[in-house]
Amino acid sequence: MIPLKRPLSHPSFIFNKSNSKSLRSFIKNTRSTNETFSSPIPIFYFKFFDSTMPIFAANSSSFSRVNTHFPDSVNQPTLTSKAQTFPQIRTFCVKRTNPNAELLSSNDIPIVSTVSGPIQTSQPIDAGSSMRKPISLWPGMYHSPVTNALWEARSSIFEKSFAEKDSQTELVAKTPSMSRTGIAYKFSSDYILREQYRNPWDEMRMGKLLEDLDALAGTISYKHCRNDDGATRPILLVTASVDKMVLKKPIRVDFDLKISGAVTWVGRSSMEIQMEVTQSTPDSPDPSDSVALVANFTFVARDSKTGKSAPLNQILPETEHEKLLWKEAEERNKMRKQKRVAEKKDVDNRDEDRLNALLAEGRVFCDMPALADRDSILIRDTRHENSLMCQPQQRNIHDRIFGGFLMRKASELAFSNAYAFAGAAPCFMEVDHVDFFKPVDVGNFLRFKSCILYTELENPMKPLINVEVVAHVTRPELRCSEVSNKFYFTFTVRPEAMKEGLKIRNVVPATEEEARRVLERMDAERSQ
C-alpha cells in the first residue's frame, strides 16, 4: 500500500492545535515500532472529498503507530496483514464513553439496536440486541435501528421466498395471534438507543417512531402472508394508507417503550394492521393507562409479475376482542370507500360565505398591507421546503422508497415549520389520515413542501398549529412532477411558554385555492 501523505494544512484535516505538537513528537519518538497506544484527546475530524481519502473512526480505544499523514515521517513501518485487509481504515480514539467498548473490535462496525427475528416467536423484539445477517438479505437497511432490526427479522422470509419464488402456495386462514409482533425499546438501560430517539429537548422524535411503526406493520403483513410451510407467495405488499393517529399521552424517551401489532382485518387484496404504542411511567403505572398511541395501517397486495391485485390469506378472529377489532376495521373500510366516492363528486358548491370570510383578511394583506392585522400572517409566508434525492439505502425489498422514510421526513419538516412559526418547541399531537397516491422509486427527486395551513386559538393556553406537508415526486428527465403524499400534522406548544407571553398568530389565505384547502381540512377534522 502506498501511504498517503498530507500536510497539516491540508483542507481535509482540522487539527486540535493545542495537542497536535505533543502528539507529533510522541509519534516521532515511537514510530519505529508497530505497537498500539491510546490518546485521551480528539485529534482531528475530516471531510470526504474523493474516494481516495481514508476513513477515520472516533470510537476506537487505540490506534496503530503507523504514521501515514505527518510530513516529518522518514521511514514507514511495515503494515501487518491485518492492517492490509482494510488499507483505507485508520482508527483514532477519543475518551471512551461506551462502557461496553472493550467488547467491540476496532474493525467492527457497531450496529445498535438490531434484533433477532420475530418470525418464530411472539415475544417482543429487543431493539437493543444484535445479530447481523448477510447484507444481501437486507435491502433498504436504513438508519433507524428498529428498521434494521426488522429487515433482519424478515430475512428468514426472504430466504424462503427467494428460494421458492416460482412456487404457488394455497391460501390459508390465519388468526391475528399468528401475526402478532412487538418491539421493546429499553430506553431506561440502553443509552445508545435512547440517544437515537431523543430530540434537543429530551423528548421523543415522533418522526422516527412513525418510521418504526410502518416498518413493523410491513413485517407483520409479510408474517401474515407466510404459510405454515414457511413459503410466501411472490406478491408485493405496499402501504396504501394510514388512519389518523392521535397521541393520547406524552411519550417519554427515558422510560421503556413497546410497539406491537397484528393483522385485524383482511379483504380480498387488502389488510388492516392495528399498532399500539405503550409505555408505563410513574404517572401511569396502570397497564390500562399505558397506551400512548394507536395506529391503523392498510396494506394492499399486488402480483409481483402482473402488478394486479392479489388475494391474501384470510383472517379468523378468535377472542371477543379480536372480533370487536375486526368489526371496527370493517366499518372503517366501508367509510373509506364512501369517502372515495364522495371525493369524486363536484365540490364547487362550497359555502361561498365561508370562503369570502376566510379571504377577507387575506385581501387586506394583498391590497393594503400597511393596514393588515399584525397578529395575522399569510399562508404563503409560512412556507418551508426540503428536497432530496431518493437513494438506494432508503429502498424497500421492492426497490421503492420505504414508506416510513417518507413519513419521517414529512414529520421532521412539519416540526421544523411549526418551530419556526411559533418561536417555541412544538409538541406533537396528531397526524391525520395519510394516503400513498404514487410510488416513489430510487433515483426520483423528492420535494417536500410545507406550510402552516391554519391555527386554532380558542384555547389560549393550548393553541393548535395545523401543518400541511405535500410530497412531490419529480422526474427531471421526463419533465414530470406528481403528488405522492399529503400529510397533515397538528402541534401545540407548552403552557409554560404561553404563560411567559408567547403569542401564536392567526394564519389567513390569500387566494381562493388556499381558502378551499383550509375549508377542506376544517371539514375533514369535524367529520372525524
Side-chain angles (χ1 to χ4, degrees), residues 92-154:
F92 287 75
C93 76
V94 296
K95 184 177 181 181
R96 181 181 299 163
T97 57
N98 181 4
N100 297 320
E102 65 271 16
L103 300 178
L104 301 175
S105 170
S106 60
N107 287 328
D108 289 341
I109 302 173
I111 301 297
V112 180
S113 306
T114 58
V115 302
S116 56
I119 306 304
Q120 295 81 13
T121 176
S122 60
Q123 294 298 320
I125 298 171
D126 181 1
S129 65
S130 177
M131 185 180 70
R132 295 296 303 274
K133 291 286 185 181
I135 197 70
S136 61
L137 299 179
W138 291 33
M141 187 181 67
Y142 192 57
H143 301 299
S144 166
V146 171
T147 304
N148 292 350
L150 291 169
W151 283 125
E152 181 174 314
R154 297 183 203 179

Side-chain angles (χ1 to χ4, degrees), residues 131-308:
M131 185 180 70
R132 295 296 303 274
K133 291 286 185 181
I135 197 70
S136 61
L137 299 179
W138 291 33
M141 187 181 67
Y142 192 57
H143 301 299
S144 166
V146 171
T147 304
N148 292 350
L150 291 169
W151 283 125
E152 181 174 314
R154 297 183 203 179
S155 63
S156 62
I157 297 180
F158 299 156
E159 292 168 347
K160 190 71 174 180
S161 60
F162 291 164
E164 303 178 7
K165 61 182 179 181
D166 294 329
S167 65
Q168 295 291 331
T169 59
E170 295 181 358
L171 296 176
V172 297
K174 306 186 74 173
T175 64
S177 60
M178 297 174 72
S179 64
R180 183 167 300 280
T181 311
I183 293 180
Y185 298 74
K186 299 180 180 180
F187 288 138
S188 61
S189 57
D190 192 336
Y191 172 78
I192 298 177
L193 180 65
R194 184 165 71 246
E195 278 296 297
Q196 297 180 67
Y197 282 83
R198 74 177 185 92
N199 66 15
W201 297 273
D202 285 326
E203 296 173 347
M204 174 65 69
R205 290 178 59 185
M206 293 302 300
K208 288 185 72 68
L209 191 60
L210 295 178
E211 181 181 34
D212 292 350
L213 284 169
D214 184 74
L216 179 57
T219 295
I220 292 171
S221 67
Y222 273 91
K223 196 173 179 181
H224 177 78
C225 293
R226 191 186 70 154
N227 294 341
D228 295 336
D229 60 358
T232 304
R233 292 178 300 113
I235 58 176
L236 308 180
L237 292 170
V238 295
T239 310
S241 65
V242 184
D243 284 352
K244 183 175 182 177
M245 289 182 276
V246 180
L247 191 65
K248 298 183 177 182
K249 69 173 189 175
I251 297 177
R252 298 181 58 174
V253 77
D254 53 344
F255 285 90
D256 291 350
L257 183 76
K258 181 182 177 182
I259 60 175
S260 59
V263 176
T264 55
W265 175 89
V266 177
R268 180 188 175 276
S269 60
S270 62
M271 70 177 81
E272 183 172 295
I273 300 167
Q274 184 168 101
M275 314 288 294
E276 277 191 351
V277 180
T278 56
Q279 185 179 60
S280 296
T281 63
D283 300 332
S284 58
D286 188 352
S288 61
D289 297 331
S290 63
V291 178
L293 186 145
V294 176
N296 295 303
F297 286 74
T298 301
F299 279 71
V300 295
R302 296 286 182 265
D303 187 276
S304 60
K305 296 181 180 179
T306 65
K308 296 181 180 180

Side-chain angles (χ1 to χ4, degrees), residues 251-478:
I251 297 177
R252 298 181 58 174
V253 77
D254 53 344
F255 285 90
D256 291 350
L257 183 76
K258 181 182 177 182
I259 60 175
S260 59
V263 176
T264 55
W265 175 89
V266 177
R268 180 188 175 276
S269 60
S270 62
M271 70 177 81
E272 183 172 295
I273 300 167
Q274 184 168 101
M275 314 288 294
E276 277 191 351
V277 180
T278 56
Q279 185 179 60
S280 296
T281 63
D283 300 332
S284 58
D286 188 352
S288 61
D289 297 331
S290 63
V291 178
L293 186 145
V294 176
N296 295 303
F297 286 74
T298 301
F299 279 71
V300 295
R302 296 286 182 265
D303 187 276
S304 60
K305 296 181 180 179
T306 65
K308 296 181 180 180
S309 61
L312 292 168
N313 292 336
Q314 289 302 300
I315 194 78
L316 284 178
E318 294 179 313
T319 66
E320 291 300 321
H321 180 63
E322 291 174 348
K323 292 177 181 179
L324 177 62
L325 293 178
W326 184 92
K327 184 177 180 180
E328 293 175 349
E330 178 73 13
E331 291 297 324
R332 282 192 295 270
N333 184 60
K334 291 179 180 178
M335 290 180 62
R336 280 193 289 267
K337 291 180 178 179
Q338 294 173 359
K339 183 179 179 181
R340 284 194 293 267
V341 173
E343 287 176 349
K344 295 180 180 179
K345 296 181 179 179
D346 188 10
V347 294
D348 290 337
N349 57 351
R350 181 71 65 188
D351 188 343
E352 292 297 326
D353 293 337
R354 296 172 63 203
L355 199 65
N356 290 328
L358 276 176
L359 287 170
E361 186 61 33
R363 290 175 178 139
V364 175
F365 267 93
C366 296
D367 300 333
M368 298 172 287
L371 302 178
D373 184 4
R374 297 308 172 206
D375 292 332
S376 298
I377 187 173
L378 292 176
I379 289 178
R380 67 189 183 197
D381 293 331
T382 67
R383 292 174 181 167
H384 287 266
E385 293 188 12
N386 184 22
S387 301
L388 56 93
M389 285 298 301
C390 296
Q391 305 294 347
Q393 293 79 12
Q394 297 143 7
R395 76 191 189 281
N396 59 22
I397 61 173
H398 310 305
D399 285 330
R400 286 180 169 165
I401 298 304
F402 178 45
F405 169 79
L406 302 177
M407 295 176 67
R408 179 170 68 86
K409 284 295 184 181
S411 174
E412 291 175 348
L413 178 59
F415 183 95
S416 302
N417 198 342
Y419 186 25
F421 172 76
C427 299
F428 173 87
M429 290 193 66
E430 64 183 51
V431 55
D432 203 1
H433 181 89
V434 179
D435 285 310
F436 291 80
F437 302 119
K438 299 287 183 181
V440 184
D441 297 320
V442 172
N444 286 164
F445 182 50
L446 193 61
R447 300 185 66 188
F448 291 92
K449 300 182 180 182
S450 167
C451 70
I452 308 298
L453 203 54
Y454 65 97
T455 55
E456 299 175 66
L457 309 177
E458 290 79 8
N459 184 351
M461 298 307 296
K462 192 177 181 179
L464 301 181
I465 304 170
N466 294 272
V467 186
E468 177 189 65
V469 180
V470 182
H472 295 260
V473 181
T474 63
R475 298 173 176 86
E477 296 88 348
L478 303 178

